Amino acid sequence: MKASSGILLLAFTAVASALENGLMRTPPMGWMAWERFRCNVDCENDPKNCISERLFMDMADRLAEDGWRELGYDHVMIDDCWTSMQRDKDGLLQPDPKRFPRGIAKLAQYVHERGLKLGIYADFGTHTCGGYPGTTFDKIETDAQTFADWKVDYLKFDGCYSSAEDQEKGYPLMSKALNATGRYIGYSCSWPAYQGGLPPNINYTLLGEICNLWRNYDDIEDSWTSVLSIVDWFFTNQDQLQPVAGPGHWNDPDMLIIGNFGLSPDQSRSQMALWAIMAAPLIMSNDLRTLTSDARNILQNKAIIAISQDPLGIQGRRLLQEKSRIEVYWRPLASSASALVFFSRRTDMPYRYHCSLDKLNYTAGLYEMYDVFTGEVLSLPSHTTPFTVSINPSGVVMWYIYPVARPTQTGEERKYPSVRRKLRVSTVRRGQRNGEHHLFL
Ligand code: GLA
């Protein structure tokens, strides 16, 4: 076989084996009810905070009117506890009539009219984790069709009350059923989280072929301890997890809890920075109606969002764990750029950490670094020049780094256009043109 047809065949196989919905080339973004609003169904006494169409309409309004949608936060996601306790007489899932009097199709329409997408929740098993009707084998196609008929755009498919053997069949079947509806429905699989999240129990090659994202690990809670346990697990297992993420198929370390009660401002910046390094979905679970401007500023940070949504879609890694309890994280980005996060696990005072780019495997060249939280630009004359960053306890310093000039193989210096001038202009535009760095154009 000639080389060219070999390449063609390879390309074809890759396309044919990937989930064929073409969705989520960058990690999904939006808002989800669970962590903040749980299974609060008491609409009589707590009408503003119960799981009801009002809550999702409120959040859709906020996403559309407060600048979130333009930044990419375009999904509104229903989680557990939205259905009646019984399916209807035809065996279909039905929303609780008191809490969703207008039905899900109307809610989808409301969301779509605001330029947003609607996510919904189901569970492969006899019941959802909250005890509502589950999706057993005989209901997979029916439920997929119901969601498509309602014009739902995303399904979180949980895994309470099913066995490992059944999940192995059920998750691929739901993927097929969603595809068969002909509607583009993003597919989030909780399967790995129920089976330890690691190979050999989990076949991530298969997951990448049938799901757009997957929950690998425990549920996030509103605390720093919970965020840390998730960060620890994902980076301890980075050799297995990092290579399996990419455009259309992502690891999901669970929701952003920034804006709730458990994180300090520094810890909030840390969650945002580390989720961007992980190429994680940016799915907030907070109350967008009462968010403080501190929380909003972190969640709406354009530079971090651009890093999270980098078109290469390569998940980052932890590079260093120092004895000083400082850690360094890195993610390669398009146009020879990259992101670095310096993270402190210390509990005493801001720590002055000394480092240089060559220690972090950067090759010879001139670099500029943009501090995504302060907006400062730093130039280093060489990749061996020492620098110092001051990192707050449980906080981060995060840099977007781009080469200004770098020696080429032929010896001459290739000049990269400096972005310093452009940094002042504020609207984000993702991607790149003409090889320039347009992160902040
Ligand atoms: C599981 C999931 C959570 C949430 C709840 C709902 O615990 O992991 O994200 O969906 O179920 O009951």
Side-chain angles (χ1 to χ4, degrees), residues 106-197:
K106 277 270 157 48
L107 181 58
Q109 191 188 337
Y110 187 91
V111 164
H112 293 154
E113 280 166 4
R114 280 152 188 77
L116 302 166
K117 299 190 170 98
L118 184 69
I120 208 161
Y121 168 101
D123 182 288
F124 178 62
T126 54
H127 296 87
T128 72
C129 302
Y132 289 76
T135 305
T136 41
F137 279 114
D138 55 323
K139 292 287 190 267
I140 288 178
E141 287 177 12
T142 313
D143 291 353
Q145 193 55 51
T146 302
F147 300 145
D149 292 345
W150 288 340
K151 299 204 166 35
V152 163
D153 306 288
Y154 177 108
L155 172 65
K156 170 173 174 177
F157 204 33
D158 211 345
C160 271
Y161 305 111
S162 53
S163 67
E165 297 75 53
D166 284 354
Q167 288 173 1
E168 206 171 322
K169 299 191 195 93
Y171 278 92
L173 282 176
M174 179 54 93
S175 182
K176 265 201 188 144
L178 291 172
N179 271 344
T181 67
R183 185 169 174 82
Y184 291 107
I185 300 181
Y187 183 34
S188 162
C189 301
S190 298
W191 179 17
Y194 287 87
Q195 304 305 332

XYZ file of all heavy atoms in Angstrom, residues 106-197:
721
model
N -40.701 23.363 26.820
C -40.860 24.820 26.944
C -39.622 25.443 27.590
O -39.189 26.538 27.202
C -42.103 25.146 27.795
C -43.388 25.109 26.995
C -43.686 26.495 26.396
C -44.584 26.458 25.178
N -45.785 25.646 25.336
N -39.095 24.729 28.567
C -37.884 25.232 29.223
C -36.729 25.274 28.219
O -35.958 26.245 28.162
C -37.530 24.338 30.427
C -36.299 24.737 31.234
C -36.424 26.167 31.777
C -36.078 23.766 32.409
N -36.630 24.229 27.383
C -35.581 24.200 26.350
C -35.746 25.390 25.409
O -34.772 26.055 25.037
C -35.625 22.887 25.580
N -36.995 25.655 25.064
C -37.258 26.790 24.165
C -36.813 28.106 24.817
O -36.168 28.945 24.180
C -38.756 26.830 23.849
C -39.107 27.790 22.743
C -40.615 27.951 22.601
O -41.394 27.077 23.008
N -41.028 29.061 22.026
N -37.132 28.253 26.079
C -36.752 29.462 26.826
C -35.229 29.638 26.812
O -34.698 30.720 26.562
C -37.254 29.340 28.270
C -37.066 30.586 29.108
C -38.064 31.548 29.184
C -35.882 30.791 29.840
C -37.902 32.683 29.957
C -35.708 31.925 30.611
C -36.727 32.869 30.668
O -36.546 34.002 31.436
N -34.542 28.534 27.048
C -33.077 28.541 27.088
C -32.503 28.851 25.696
O -31.605 29.672 25.537
C -32.590 27.175 27.649
C -31.130 26.941 27.365
C -32.867 27.088 29.150
N -33.068 28.205 24.679
C -32.580 28.421 23.304
C -32.805 29.866 22.847
O -31.977 30.433 22.148
C -33.274 27.458 22.328
C -32.888 26.031 22.566
N -33.701 24.967 22.236
C -31.784 25.481 23.127
C -33.113 23.835 22.569
N -31.937 24.114 23.119
N -33.927 30.438 23.252
C -34.207 31.825 22.855
C -33.150 32.785 23.390
O -32.994 33.893 22.898
C -35.589 32.258 23.384
C -36.721 31.748 22.519
C -38.087 31.863 23.213
O -38.163 32.408 24.348
O -39.063 31.380 22.630
N -32.478 32.355 24.415
C -31.416 33.187 24.988
C -30.030 32.783 24.484
O -29.003 33.165 25.065
C -31.484 33.124 26.513
C -32.577 34.049 27.015
C -33.212 33.634 28.314
N -34.359 34.510 28.565
C -35.554 34.396 27.952
N -35.751 33.430 27.067
N -36.531 35.233 28.210
N -30.004 31.991 23.430
C -28.721 31.602 22.833
C -27.951 30.599 23.669
O -26.720 30.506 23.591
N -28.682 29.828 24.484
C -28.027 28.873 25.389
C -28.474 27.457 25.059
O -29.376 27.255 24.250
C -28.413 29.210 26.838
C -28.074 30.623 27.309
C -28.804 30.947 28.605
C -26.560 30.774 27.496
N -27.837 26.486 25.725
C -28.180 25.078 25.517
C -28.690 24.482 26.826
O -28.267 24.910 27.901
C -26.939 24.314 25.056
C -26.386 24.845 23.745
C -25.312 23.907 23.225
C -24.913 24.272 21.817
N -23.703 25.069 21.745
N -29.563 23.481 26.706
C -30.119 22.873 27.913
C -29.542 21.480 28.145
O -29.537 20.634 27.257
C -31.651 22.767 27.802
C -32.333 22.220 29.067
C -32.240 23.223 30.223
C -33.792 21.869 28.800
N -29.068 21.246 29.362
C -28.595 19.921 29.758
C -29.606 19.272 30.685
O -30.338 19.945 31.404
N -29.663 17.947 30.650
C -30.575 17.222 31.544
C -29.830 16.050 32.163
O -28.734 15.709 31.732
C -31.851 16.776 30.781
C -33.033 16.681 31.735
C -31.619 15.482 30.008
C -34.370 16.710 31.027
N -30.442 15.454 33.167
C -29.812 14.388 33.950
C -30.663 13.128 33.896
O -31.900 13.198 34.000
C -29.692 14.868 35.397
C -29.322 13.813 36.420
C -28.008 13.710 36.885
C -30.273 12.946 36.959
C -27.663 12.758 37.850
C -29.935 11.997 37.912
C -28.636 11.909 38.356
O -28.288 10.982 39.309
N -30.005 12.003 33.726
C -30.668 10.706 33.893
C -29.661 9.763 34.527
O -28.480 10.102 34.673
C -31.142 10.159 32.549
N -30.122 8.587 34.906
C -29.229 7.646 35.600
C -29.427 6.263 35.020
O -30.561 5.770 34.938
C -29.562 7.639 37.092
C -28.648 6.730 37.889
O -28.782 5.482 37.758
O -27.798 7.256 38.627
N -28.314 5.646 34.618
C -28.403 4.268 34.146
C -28.496 3.361 35.375
O -27.502 3.163 36.081
C -27.198 3.891 33.281
C -27.267 2.469 32.832
C -28.318 2.042 32.029
C -26.325 1.542 33.253
C -28.421 0.718 31.641
C -26.423 0.209 32.860
C -27.468 -0.194 32.058
N -29.702 2.833 35.624
C -29.922 2.006 36.806
C -31.401 2.035 37.139
O -32.197 2.651 36.431
N -31.734 1.386 38.237
C -33.157 1.321 38.591
C -33.665 2.665 39.092
O -34.821 3.017 38.898
C -33.383 0.256 39.679
O -32.493 0.566 40.767
C -33.101 -1.136 39.166
N -32.772 3.432 39.772
C -33.147 4.743 40.306
C -32.006 5.716 40.099
O -30.850 5.315 39.978
C -33.416 4.653 41.823
C -34.560 3.783 42.157
N -34.434 2.429 42.342
C -35.877 4.074 42.315
C -35.623 1.912 42.598
N -36.517 2.890 42.598
N -32.311 7.000 40.132
C -31.244 8.001 40.164
C -30.638 7.972 41.563
O -31.194 7.361 42.479
C -31.781 9.422 39.898
O -32.520 9.863 41.051
C -32.655 9.473 38.658
N -29.520 8.675 41.730
C -28.884 8.684 43.060
C -29.830 9.284 44.100
O -29.805 8.932 45.262
C -27.568 9.450 43.029
S -26.400 8.766 41.850
N -30.702 10.172 43.678
C -31.656 10.793 44.594
C -32.952 9.994 44.745
O -33.878 10.456 45.405
N -33.043 8.830 44.114
C -34.203 7.961 44.299
C -35.325 8.168 43.299
O -36.427 7.640 43.473
N -35.089 8.889 42.236
C -36.106 9.127 41.203
C -36.007 8.025 40.137
O -35.046 7.243 40.147
C -35.919 10.536 40.621
C -36.332 11.605 41.623
C -35.500 11.929 42.699
C -37.569 12.232 41.526
C -35.891 12.870 43.654
C -37.964 13.167 42.466
C -37.124 13.487 43.530
O -37.520 14.401 44.460
N -36.961 7.950 39.213
C -36.921 6.840 38.241
C -35.616 6.817 37.431
O -35.180 7.858 36.930
C -38.114 7.139 37.320
C -39.014 8.008 38.111
C -38.144 8.804 39.034
N -35.032 5.650 37.309
C -33.795 5.486 36.550
C -34.085 5.017 35.131
O -35.244 4.837 34.739
N -33.001 4.823 34.389
C -33.116 4.353 33.006
C -32.548 2.938 32.945
O -31.333 2.757 33.030
C -32.322 5.283 32.063
O -32.781 6.618 32.245
C -32.478 4.871 30.616
N -33.416 1.951 32.854
C -32.970 0.567 32.729
C -32.799 0.246 31.237
O -33.161 1.065 30.387
C -34.007 -0.374 33.394
O -35.308 0.097 33.046
C -33.869 -0.358 34.911
N -32.245 -0.926 30.937
C -31.947 -1.269 29.534
C -33.126 -0.994 28.601
O -32.973 -0.419 27.535
C -31.565 -2.749 29.418
C -30.127 -3.014 29.783
C -29.802 -3.764 30.907
C -29.090 -2.515 28.997
C -28.475 -3.999 31.243
C -27.760 -2.756 29.327
C -27.463 -3.506 30.451
N -34.317 -1.415 29.069
C -35.494 -1.300 28.187
C -35.929 0.148 27.952
O -36.772 0.409 27.107
C -36.663 -2.092 28.791
C -36.956 -1.657 30.227
O -35.999 -1.363 30.969
O -38.148 -1.580 30.597
N -35.348 1.076 28.714
C -35.786 2.476 28.580
C -34.735 3.373 27.902
O -34.957 4.571 27.734
C -36.081 3.056 29.974
C -37.305 2.440 30.645
C -38.577 2.948 29.971
C -39.831 2.563 30.728
N -40.425 1.293 30.235
N -33.607 2.819 27.524
C -32.519 3.651 26.988
C -32.970 4.398 25.734
O -32.852 5.623 25.638
C -31.259 2.795 26.721
C -30.617 2.404 28.063
C -30.250 3.549 25.847
C -29.389 1.522 27.953
N -33.532 3.667 24.781
C -33.926 4.332 23.522
C -35.075 5.302 23.742
O -35.085 6.409 23.192
C -34.298 3.287 22.468
C -33.060 2.585 21.945
C -33.357 1.491 20.961
O -34.525 1.388 20.489
O -32.437 0.715 20.664
N -36.021 4.881 24.563
C -37.174 5.753 24.864
C -36.702 7.065 25.457
O -37.145 8.147 25.053
C -38.074 5.065 25.920
O -38.282 3.731 25.539
C -39.382 5.794 26.092
N -35.814 6.981 26.450
C -35.394 8.209 27.135
C -34.563 9.095 26.207
O -34.718 10.317 26.193
C -34.625 7.875 28.426
C -35.550 7.277 29.485
O -36.784 7.263 29.260
O -35.049 6.825 30.533
N -33.691 8.474 25.414
C -32.898 9.263 24.454
C -33.847 10.014 23.520
O -33.665 11.212 23.249
C -31.967 8.353 23.654
N -34.886 9.316 23.066
C -35.832 9.957 22.140
C -36.620 11.064 22.838
O -36.848 12.137 22.259
C -36.786 8.893 21.547
C -37.577 9.394 20.357
C -36.678 9.947 19.241
O -35.728 9.287 18.810
N -36.936 11.182 18.794
N -36.999 10.820 24.082
C -37.719 11.857 24.843
C -36.874 13.126 24.935
O -37.362 14.227 24.681
C -38.031 11.348 26.270
O -38.809 10.160 26.164
C -38.788 12.383 27.081
N -35.602 12.955 25.273
C -34.722 14.135 25.409
C -34.585 14.851 24.055
O -34.619 16.079 23.979
C -33.342 13.730 25.947
C -33.407 13.079 27.313
C -32.530 12.050 27.659
C -34.344 13.491 28.256
C -32.591 11.447 28.914
C -34.418 12.900 29.520
C -33.537 11.860 29.838
N -34.452 14.063 22.984
C -34.328 14.674 21.648
C -35.630 15.405 21.282
O -35.594 16.518 20.758
C -33.992 13.612 20.614
N -36.766 14.782 21.591
C -38.063 15.418 21.283
C -38.201 16.754 22.021
O -38.788 17.696 21.496
C -39.227 14.506 21.679
C -39.308 13.263 20.800
O -38.655 13.258 19.730
O -39.997 12.293 21.185
N -37.691 16.802 23.216
C -37.758 18.055 23.991
C -36.714 19.081 23.527
O -36.660 20.179 24.028
C -37.517 17.761 25.478
C -38.657 17.051 26.161
C -39.955 16.989 25.751
C -38.588 16.318 27.399
N -40.702 16.267 26.665
C -39.888 15.852 27.677
C -37.554 16.007 28.292
C -40.187 15.087 28.813
C -37.855 15.263 29.426
C -39.149 14.808 29.679
N -35.810 18.652 22.639
C -34.716 19.504 22.140
C -33.670 19.811 23.213
O -33.138 20.922 23.318
C -35.250 20.794 21.501
C -36.151 20.534 20.303
C -36.178 21.733 19.392
C -36.753 21.498 18.015
N -37.857 20.567 17.881
N -33.402 18.789 23.995
C -32.321 18.873 24.980
C -30.988 18.764 24.238
O -30.895 18.110 23.197
C -32.492 17.739 26.017
C -31.219 17.500 26.794
C -33.657 18.054 26.951
N -29.937 19.411 24.783
C -28.644 19.474 24.078
C -27.519 18.693 24.753
O -26.415 18.614 24.213
C -28.194 20.944 23.988
C -29.264 21.814 23.374
O -29.487 21.695 22.161
O -29.906 22.593 24.119
N -27.778 18.164 25.940
C -26.676 17.576 26.724
C -27.301 16.620 27.731
O -28.329 16.940 28.334
C -25.983 18.732 27.447
C -24.835 18.433 28.390
C -23.528 18.763 28.033
C -25.040 17.901 29.662
C -22.469 18.555 28.915
C -23.984 17.691 30.541
C -22.703 18.025 30.162
O -21.648 17.835 31.037
N -26.682 15.469 27.887
C -27.171 14.509 28.883
C -26.054 14.120 29.848
O -24.993 13.662 29.435
C -27.688 13.233 28.187
C -28.039 12.080 29.141
C -29.223 12.432 30.044
C -28.322 10.795 28.351
N -26.306 14.315 31.134
C -25.426 13.738 32.162
C -26.044 12.408 32.546
O -27.176 12.362 33.032
C -25.371 14.686 33.366
C -24.678 14.102 34.609
C -24.524 15.184 35.675
C -23.966 14.650 36.989
N -23.757 15.728 37.982
N -25.310 11.325 32.285
C -25.858 9.987 32.520
C -25.139 9.378 33.709
O -24.004 8.913 33.609
C -25.672 9.144 31.251
C -26.648 7.993 31.123
C -27.951 8.083 31.607
C -26.267 6.825 30.472
C -28.844 7.025 31.465
C -27.150 5.766 30.321
C -28.443 5.863 30.823
N -25.807 9.410 34.852
C -25.228 8.965 36.117
C -25.279 7.443 36.218
O -25.886 6.789 35.353
C -26.000 9.655 37.264
C -25.124 9.895 38.474
O -24.034 9.297 38.549
O -25.530 10.683 39.353
N -24.677 6.899 37.279
C -24.568 5.435 37.338
C -24.967 4.787 38.649
O -24.540 3.667 38.933
N -25.809 5.473 39.448
C -26.266 4.835 40.688
C -27.177 3.655 40.366
O -27.918 3.692 39.387
C -27.057 5.837 41.542
S -26.043 6.793 42.673
N -27.145 2.654 41.191
C -28.048 1.503 41.103
C -27.937 0.730 39.789
O -28.946 0.396 39.157
C -29.504 1.932 41.370
C -29.652 2.643 42.699
C -29.947 4.000 42.771
C -29.446 1.940 43.903
C -30.038 4.657 43.990
C -29.543 2.594 45.116
C -29.837 3.956 45.151
O -29.930 4.591 46.353
N -26.683 0.508 39.362
C -26.456 -0.438 38.262
C -25.120 -1.129 38.519
O -24.262 -0.574 39.198
C -26.441 0.273 36.897
O -25.532 1.346 36.905
N -24.953 -2.325 37.966
C -23.719 -3.093 38.205
C -22.665 -2.729 37.161
O -22.983 -2.177 36.098
C -24.018 -4.584 38.105
O -24.352 -4.894 36.766
N -21.421 -3.085 37.478
C -20.317 -2.838 36.543
C -20.588 -3.522 35.203
O -20.347 -2.949 34.140
C -19.008 -3.343 37.144
N -21.109 -4.738 35.273
C -21.370 -5.491 34.025
C -22.434 -4.781 33.189
O -22.317 -4.665 31.972
C -21.855 -6.925 34.319
C -20.853 -7.803 35.055
C -20.742 -7.447 36.527
O -21.788 -7.406 37.205
O -19.615 -7.193 37.006
N -23.475 -4.338 33.857
C -24.538 -3.648 33.110
C -24.044 -2.315 32.552
O -24.385 -1.932 31.428
C -25.764 -3.417 34.016
C -26.554 -4.706 34.214
O -26.202 -5.708 33.547
O -27.489 -4.712 35.030
N -23.234 -1.594 33.327
C -22.730 -0.292 32.854
C -21.921 -0.458 31.569
O -21.981 0.361 30.658
C -21.876 0.375 33.936
C -22.721 0.886 35.099
C -21.900 1.402 36.260
O -20.668 1.412 36.214
N -22.583 1.822 37.318
N -21.173 -1.557 31.504
C -20.345 -1.811 30.328
C -21.190 -1.897 29.056
O -20.727 -1.580 27.964
C -19.598 -3.126 30.554
C -18.324 -3.215 29.808
C -17.524 -4.425 30.243
O -17.513 -4.754 31.457
O -16.920 -5.054 29.361
N -22.414 -2.333 29.222
C -23.311 -2.396 28.052
C -24.155 -1.128 27.933
O -24.396 -0.617 26.846
C -24.239 -3.607 28.177
C -23.508 -4.922 28.232
C -24.481 -6.082 28.072
C -23.831 -7.392 28.492
N -24.087 -7.745 29.923
N -24.596 -0.622 29.066
C -25.579 0.467 29.068
C -25.023 1.791 28.550
O -25.701 2.497 27.781
N -23.788 2.133 28.954
C -23.256 3.432 28.508
C -23.049 3.493 26.992
O -23.434 4.484 26.367
C -21.988 3.790 29.298
C -22.334 4.412 30.643
C -22.462 3.642 31.782
C -22.575 5.783 30.749
C -22.813 4.213 33.008
C -22.917 6.368 31.966
C -23.033 5.575 33.093
O -23.393 6.152 34.286
N -22.467 2.428 26.371
C -22.382 2.464 24.898
C -23.764 2.468 24.238
O -23.970 3.137 23.218
C -21.625 1.173 24.558
C -20.859 0.833 25.798
C -21.700 1.310 26.938
N -24.725 1.768 24.827
C -26.062 1.748 24.215
C -26.693 3.143 24.232
O -27.333 3.549 23.257
C -26.973 0.750 24.957
C -26.744 -0.721 24.622
C -27.635 -1.613 25.500
C -27.039 -0.995 23.136
N -26.513 3.877 25.313
C -27.083 5.231 25.363
C -26.398 6.128 24.328
O -27.040 6.961 23.692
C -26.955 5.818 26.771
C -27.500 7.239 26.886
S -29.224 7.445 26.315
C -30.145 7.233 27.834
N -25.092 5.947 24.133
C -24.375 6.728 23.132
C -25.000 6.491 21.749
O -25.290 7.430 20.999
C -22.898 6.325 23.137
O -22.165 7.084 22.224
N -25.216 5.216 21.455
C -25.833 4.848 20.161
C -27.222 5.446 20.045
O -27.604 5.983 18.996
C -25.971 3.321 20.078
C -24.848 2.643 19.384
C -25.315 1.270 18.913
C -24.115 0.514 18.391
N -24.182 -0.898 18.681
N -27.977 5.329 21.137
C -29.368 5.798 21.109
C -29.413 7.314 20.899
O -30.260 7.814 20.156
C -30.077 5.416 22.407
N -28.504 8.033 21.528
C -28.476 9.495 21.343
C -28.142 9.825 19.892
O -28.792 10.654 19.261
C -27.461 10.141 22.294
C -27.812 10.118 23.792
C -26.623 10.627 24.623
C -29.053 10.957 24.104
N -27.126 9.147 19.356
C -26.765 9.372 17.949
C -27.941 9.075 17.025
O -28.184 9.801 16.062
C -25.583 8.480 17.547
C -24.251 9.157 17.804
O -24.196 10.369 17.995
N -23.188 8.378 17.824
N -28.669 8.005 17.362
C -29.760 7.565 16.482
C -30.915 8.559 16.446
O -31.706 8.563 15.504
C -30.268 6.195 16.925
N -31.016 9.423 17.441
C -32.114 10.410 17.415
C -31.866 11.460 16.328
O -32.779 12.170 15.937
C -32.246 11.171 18.760
O -31.079 11.994 18.947
C -32.429 10.233 19.930
N -30.605 11.590 15.895
C -30.291 12.598 14.882
C -30.102 13.982 15.477
O -29.768 14.924 14.761
N -30.325 14.139 16.782
C -30.093 15.435 17.418
C -28.688 15.445 18.029
O -28.222 14.434 18.550
C -31.139 15.678 18.513
C -31.000 17.057 19.117
C -32.132 17.489 20.017
N -31.770 18.776 20.623
C -31.911 19.945 20.025
N -32.466 20.006 18.831
N -31.523 21.061 20.603
N -28.019 16.587 17.959
C -26.696 16.697 18.573
C -26.860 16.842 20.079
O -27.331 17.871 20.559
C -25.936 17.895 18.010
C -25.535 17.695 16.573
C -26.170 18.374 15.548
C -24.530 16.790 16.251
C -25.806 18.168 14.226
C -24.159 16.571 14.934
C -24.803 17.267 13.927
O -24.439 17.042 12.626
N -26.515 15.800 20.791
C -26.664 15.825 22.251
C -25.318 15.461 22.883
O -24.821 14.342 22.700
C -27.770 14.839 22.712
C -29.116 15.228 22.067
C -27.880 14.833 24.242
C -30.286 14.347 22.449
N -24.705 16.415 23.585
C -23.460 16.147 24.287
C -23.707 15.064 25.326
O -24.764 15.027 25.950
N -22.710 14.184 25.504
C -22.944 13.002 26.344
C -21.879 12.930 27.430
O -20.703 12.723 27.152
C -22.922 11.773 25.439
C -23.217 10.450 26.104
C -24.116 10.337 27.167
C -22.605 9.276 25.646
C -24.393 9.102 27.747
C -22.877 8.042 26.211
C -23.773 7.961 27.268
O -24.036 6.744 27.846
N -22.339 13.125 28.670
C -21.440 13.065 29.826
C -21.681 11.766 30.579
O -22.802 11.502 31.023
C -21.735 14.272 30.732
O -21.214 14.050 32.018
N -20.639 10.968 30.714
C -20.778 9.630 31.299
C -20.176 9.592 32.699
O -18.988 9.880 32.867
C -20.045 8.603 30.434
S -20.653 8.535 28.740
N -20.958 9.177 33.675
C -20.414 9.048 35.037
C -19.812 7.666 35.285
O -19.313 7.401 36.381
C -21.516 9.316 36.063
O -21.992 10.626 35.922
N -19.844 6.832 34.317
C -19.390 5.441 34.422
C -18.041 5.292 35.141
O -17.959 4.559 36.142
C -19.386 4.871 32.998
C -18.940 3.467 32.808
C -18.821 2.494 33.762
C -18.585 2.860 31.561
N -18.410 1.322 33.194
C -18.260 1.514 31.844
C -18.518 3.305 30.238
C -17.867 0.627 30.841
C -18.132 2.414 29.251
C -17.807 1.094 29.545
N -16.951 5.975 34.690
C -15.664 5.751 35.363
C -15.701 6.018 36.872
O -15.063 5.301 37.648
C -14.707 6.740 34.682
C -15.363 7.150 33.427
C -16.827 6.957 33.596
N -16.466 7.026 37.286
C -16.502 7.384 38.707
C -17.043 6.230 39.557
O -16.761 6.144 40.754
C -17.349 8.630 38.906
N -17.821 5.345 38.939
C -18.385 4.216 39.692
C -17.478 2.997 39.693
O -17.729 2.042 40.398
C -19.772 3.858 39.133
C -20.792 4.899 39.532
C -20.986 6.044 38.760
C -21.500 4.773 40.716
C -21.890 7.021 39.151
C -22.403 5.747 41.123
C -22.593 6.869 40.333
O -23.468 7.840 40.740
N -16.413 3.051 38.866
C -15.543 1.869 38.754
C -14.090 2.209 39.055
O -13.168 1.630 38.484
C -15.678 1.244 37.345
C -17.101 0.872 36.961
C -17.770 -0.047 37.981
O -17.101 -0.827 38.683
N -19.084 0.044 38.092
N -13.867 3.157 39.926
C -12.508 3.452 40.379
C -11.771 4.462 39.515
O -10.726 4.969 39.904
N -12.272 4.731 38.322
C -11.730 5.814 37.497
C -10.400 5.546 36.815
O -9.866 6.444 36.165
